[in-house]
């Protein structure tokens, strides 16, 4: 199969289609995922081709969606659940944390729940309240779940298929403001460029400071690297891709190389992914560090009204400011 | 402003239990034997199920009685083991034996049940070994059995969560083509168990929405034992659970939960409908929790002894024994043999509990994920190394 240029949204759509073709047990469930194709059109055309029993328009109740997905998984299905927006996942929090994450352990391995929960996340689209959140840390904190975030069309296409084939539950975070970004996707599974679901990737080589990002901030960090290069500063950018487990081998290797690390995410920094990553780096790379690990993220306030989000979200200037502070040590 | 305040002051914040009598299920309730075990005449409520009861043999009746007695003894032993420090907690089913045995016996092997945590009687009917029930309460396991072996899910402690799992499982059966084929050995349905308190949960109501919309082969079985720990029915709902089903688009039936024949008949009819593809039914078994909520509870703080005494008179075992004796289906020799069997069961449960092996400590790291997980593996290795350090010291 040749490479194709497609959007990130299309990458997920094509990945879902490939997974459904490969395994008749794969089901899609969610609000408006059928005829409408979801509010972001990620599931567009799939109900037409796979029928209403495999692309299920559910009642508008998130706990009900995840709870029934658990029952379907117990019966041998592999449900892929769409949560319409990040901020609507909380009604399902109980089912995810109390049941989905623990079932394999409490059954001592007798039950497997191969469920993927897709979450369009993050801000930057001028949305109303509850439509721009980054709640990945809640789930990364919960043992029994795997948490990943894609950042480009190729990862969208391959990672969604890897997540579906995982026998563990996977929280699959999709950067909604990057849905329409386009790039080449190599559809050949033998291409050799496909990383494991939990591997981080260096997306921009650099020598002075390492930027660690995932989801929507990967692109922002790449822009920062370009801008810094014009001032003669060499930034390395790493797409973490997996938040639980973290690819600590890659993190240790790159940070030991540059001696300076900055974690960039949209979520509020207090007890966000950056906190765990910074703690890990200071423990494992202490003698290599030239500067404290810095975090650039959302402020520690509820996600603000959209007229504020340009300042709330970690943009180019705040990242470059942190780079300056890191280099000043 | 004054007017508004006046309204607020005069507004009743709790609607008292108006027409409902906590000891009387009312005329809609399906019943086949009275408090003494006398077989009742046909009524509007029980007529649709009369044929099912009439088809039962004397042997069926004796077998039901045996289950009731053994389950009560198992429960009493669990309670005693907790009091003696062998179990951390025990939720007693005392008084609810008929509701659970009637429902459990109506199921077929291919059906699947999702219990709460008090359904020891249903577990018994599914064939779960009594000692398997103890592991959770002794703290050696969070489950205790493999759900798919006997089609009995693990106990679910967060009230109501299991209702949605049951609904999803039933939706899976629909997709597997094991509903409405007409093949008795193949067609299957799901039973979801909860209590009166559980009906207030969002998950309970969402399960009714999903099951109704999907027309899923599901029987929702609510044991209304009148008390959600310390809160009576009128603090949980204004409309009794069986009346709620209509609003979700399927039938709701109230059955005398202390009448094992009635519970069996109503549940069998609902399961037959579900397996045939006719969708869900909600059954409210009107019963009573004679004991405490769990061994940690003290019901004398919130309910009267007089109320408990009224319900003691409705004891499900006394009623079934009365029925069997009046009909001449059983004699004293039979009752004595069942009592002996109960004694043997008690010894078996006690011995199994005391002999349950202590789990190895590193087992807590096992089966967290299906595929290897670096954090769990690293911590397990660190833990074992840490433990080994003590052993080395001791060896010196």
């Amino acid at each position: 199969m040749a490479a194709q240029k497609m959007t990130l949204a299309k990458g997920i759509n094509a990945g879902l289609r490939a997974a459904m073709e490969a395994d008749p047990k794969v089901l899609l469930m969610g609000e408006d995922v059928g005829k409408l194709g979801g509010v972001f059109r990620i599931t567009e055309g799939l109900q037409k081709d796979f029928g209403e029993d495999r692309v299920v328009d559910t009642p508008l109740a998130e706990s009900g969606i995840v709870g029934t997905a658990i029952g379907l998984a117990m019966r041998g299905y592999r449900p892929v659940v769409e949560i319409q927006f990040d901020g609507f996942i909380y009604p399902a929090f109980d089912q995810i944390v109390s049941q989905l994450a623990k079932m394999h352990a409490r059954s001592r391995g007798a039950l497997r729940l191969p469920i993927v929960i897709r979450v369009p996340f993050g801000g930057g689209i001028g949305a109303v309240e509850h439509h721009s959140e980054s709640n990945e840390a809640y789930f990364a904190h919960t043992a029994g779940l795997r948490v990943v975030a894609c950042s480009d069309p190729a990862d969208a296409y391959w990672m969604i298929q890897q997540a579906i084939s995982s026998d563990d539950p996977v929280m699959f975070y999709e950067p909604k403001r990057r849905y329409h970004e386009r790039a080449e996707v190599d559809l050949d599974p033998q291409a050799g460029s496909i990383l494991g679901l939990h591997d981080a990737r260096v997306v921009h080589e650099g020598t002075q400071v390492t930027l660690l990002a995932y989801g929507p901030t990967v692109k922002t960090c790449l822009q920062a690297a370009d801008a810094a290069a014009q001032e003669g500063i060499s930034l390395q950018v790493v797409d973490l891709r997996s938040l639980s487990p973290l690819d600590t081998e890659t993190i240790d290797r790159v940070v030991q190389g540059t001696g300076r690390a900055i974690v960039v995410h949209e979520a509020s920094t207090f007890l966000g992914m950056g906190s765990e990553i910074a703690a890990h780096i200071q423990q494992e790379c202490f003698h290599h560090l030239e500067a404290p690990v810095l975090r650039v993220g959302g402020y520690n306030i509820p996600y603000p009204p959209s007229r504020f989000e340009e300042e709330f979200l970690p943009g180019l200037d705040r990242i470059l400011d942190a780079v300056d502070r890191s280099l000043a040590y | 402003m004054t007017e508004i305040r006046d309204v607020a002051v005069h507004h009743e914040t709790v609607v008292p239990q108006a027409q409902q009598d906590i000891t009387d299920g009312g005329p809609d309730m399906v019943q086949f034997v009275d408090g003494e075990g006398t077989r009742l005449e046909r009524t509007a409520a029980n007529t649709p199920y009369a044929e099912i009861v009439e088809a039962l043999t004397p042997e069926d009746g004796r077998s039901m009685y045996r289950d009731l007695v053994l389950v009560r003894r198992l429960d009493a032993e669990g309670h005693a083991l907790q009091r003696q420090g062998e179990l951390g907690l025990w939720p007693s089913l005392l008084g609810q034996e008929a509701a659970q045995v009637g429902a459990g016996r109506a199921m077929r092997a291919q059906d699947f049940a999702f219990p709460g945590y008090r359904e020891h009687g249903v577990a018994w009917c599914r064939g779960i070994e009594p000692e398997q029930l103890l592991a959770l309460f002794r703290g050696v396991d969070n489950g205790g059995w493999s759900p798919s072996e006997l089609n009995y899910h693990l106990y679910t402690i967060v009230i109501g969560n299991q209702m949605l799992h049951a609904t999803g499982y039933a939706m899976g059966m629909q997709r597997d083509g094991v509903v409405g084929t007409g093949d008795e050995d193949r067609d299957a349905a799901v039973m979801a168990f909860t209590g009166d308190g559980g009906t207030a949960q969002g998950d309970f109501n969402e399960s009714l929405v999903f099951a109704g919309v999907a027309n899923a082969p599901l029987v929702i079985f609510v044991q209304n034992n009148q008390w959600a720990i310390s809160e009576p029915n009128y603090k949980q709902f204004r409309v009794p659970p069986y009346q709620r089903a209509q609003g979700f688009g399927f039938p709701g039936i109230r059955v005398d939960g202390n009448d094992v024949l009635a519970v069996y008949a109503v549940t069998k009819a609902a399961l037959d409908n579900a397996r045939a593809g006719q969708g869900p039914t909600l059954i409210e078994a009107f019963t009573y929790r004679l004991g405490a909520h769990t061994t940690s509870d003290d019901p004398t703080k919130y309910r009267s002894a007089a109320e408990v005494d009224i319900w003691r008179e409705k004891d499900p075992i006394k009623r079934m024994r009365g029925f069997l004796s009046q009909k001449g289906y059983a004699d004293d020799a039979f009752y004595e043999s069942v009592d002996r069997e109960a004694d043997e069961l008690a010894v078996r449960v006690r011995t199994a509990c005391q002999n349950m092996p202590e789990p190895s400590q590193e087992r807590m790291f096992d089966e967290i994920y299906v595929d290897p997980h670096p954090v769990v593996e690293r911590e397990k290795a660190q833990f074992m190394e840490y433990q080994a350090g003590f052993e080395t010291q001791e060896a010196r």
Side-chain angles (χ1 to χ4, degrees), chain B residues 17 19-31 224 226 233 240 242 254-257 284 286-288 307 310-311 314:
Chain B
Q17 196 174 26
Q19 68 278 42
Q20 278 189 65
D21 182 342
I22 181 167
T23 61
D24 181 359
D28 289 347
M29 187 167 80
V30 179
Q31 210 177 17
N224 180 358
Q226 313 300 329
N233 274 189
Y242 77 103
R254 176 177 271 190
V255 63
D256 182 342
E284 177 193 352
F286 196 78
T287 181
Y288 193 75
E307 178 190 301
I310 292 172
W311 276 95
K314 300 170 184 282

Side-chain angles (χ1 to χ4, degrees), chain A residues 25 27 29 52-54 56 58-72 74-75 77 91 94-95 98-99 101 103-112 142-146 165-168 244-246 248 280, chain B residues 110 112 114 136 140-148 153-162 164-176 178 188 203 206 209-210 213 363 366-375 378:
Chain A
K25 293 291 186 184
L27 307 176
M29 305 170 65
E52 291 187 24
D53 278 350
R54 291 191 65 195
V56 188
T58 64
L60 205 166
E62 285 77 9
S63 187
I65 299 169
V66 175
T68 53
I70 290 171
L72 280 156
M74 283 183 63
R75 185 77 195 174
Y77 289 89
D94 177 32
Q95 284 287 350
S98 303
Q99 300 296 335
M103 199 75 88
H104 185 64
R106 65 192 302 270
S107 69
R108 301 225 2 232
L111 294 177
R112 294 176 174 196
T142 302
L145 302 175
R146 295 174 183 271
S165 66
S166 165
D167 284 329
D168 290 311
S244 178
L246 283 166
T248 51
H280 172 85
Chain B
Q110 70 268 28
F112 205 107
F114 287 78
L136 170 69
V140 302
D141 208 313
N142 282 330
W145 55 90
S146 174
S148 57
H153 189 48
L154 301 177
Y155 278 178
T156 297
I157 292 182
V158 180
I159 305 284
N161 277 176
Q162 75 278 13
L164 286 165
H165 309 159
T167 307
Y169 198 92
M171 290 161 65
M173 283 177 171
Q174 289 176 301
R175 282 162 178 75
D176 291 344
V178 295
D203 278 5
E206 290 185 23
V209 169
F210 277 68
V213 167
R363 203 190 80 194
D366 293 345
E367 285 138 352
I368 310 301
Y369 294 88
V370 178
D371 296 324
H373 191 283
V375 175
R378 188 165 58 240

Side-chain angles (χ1 to χ4, degrees), chain B residues 314-356:
Chain B
K314 300 170 184 282
D315 187 290
I317 296 182
K318 190 190 84 171
R319 285 166 74 173
M320 192 55 184
R321 185 167 171 154
F323 171 76
L324 293 175
S325 296
Q326 284 183 36
K327 288 279 186 186
Y329 292 163
D331 55 16
D332 286 349
F334 169 74
Y335 300 130
E336 281 162 24
S337 78
V338 173
D339 287 345
R340 270 196 307 278
E341 207 182 338
D343 289 343
E344 288 160 14
L345 176 66
V347 172
R348 187 183 123 200
V349 168
R350 164 165 300 269
T351 310
C353 181
Q354 289 165 338
N355 293 339
M356 206 178 289

